């Protein structure tokens, strides 16, 4: 883990899980961005605003990772 002062998360999920993560997050009203165009295939970017948004993203990521094991 690296310290960050940005308003987004950059997470490596693997190329095989990016599309599934996109659908999973959209179904929960959360939008992520693929970053293939930055030569980061298999990564996603999720913008986070306030503490409530951060909690929603963390909960969704935990549920997605649990489901996709």
């Amino acid at each position: 883990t690296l310290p960050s002062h940005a308003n987004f998360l950059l997470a490596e999920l693997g190329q095989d899980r990016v599309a599934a993560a996109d659908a999973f997050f959209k179904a929960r009203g959360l939008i992520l961005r693929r970053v293939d165009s930055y030569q980061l295939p298999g990564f996603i970017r999720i913008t986070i605003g306030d503490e409530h948004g951060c909690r929603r993203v963390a909960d969704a990521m935990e549920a997605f990772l649990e489901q996709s094991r």
Side-chain angles (χ1 to χ4, degrees):
T1 304
L2 299 173
S4 175
H5 299 282
N7 67 339
F8 65 90
L9 284 171
L10 184 66
E12 183 176 15
L13 298 177
Q15 291 182 15
D16 57 326
R17 295 198 297 180
V18 170
D22 192 18
F24 188 89
F25 277 68
K26 278 184 185 171
R28 285 155 182 76
L30 299 166
I31 299 172
L32 57 83
R33 188 167 134 183
R34 297 177 186 204
V35 289
D36 297 12
S37 61
Y38 295 104
Q39 283 67 54
L40 294 169
F43 283 77
I44 58 168
R45 175 185 165 154
I46 307 167
T47 301
I48 300 174
D50 59 12
E51 186 175 343
H52 174 70
C54 186
R55 175 56 35 213
R56 286 183 64 211
V57 168
D59 290 346
M61 183 63 76
E62 183 177 6
F64 175 73
L65 293 174
E66 185 66 32
Q67 149 192 303
S68 66
R69 284 187 175 180

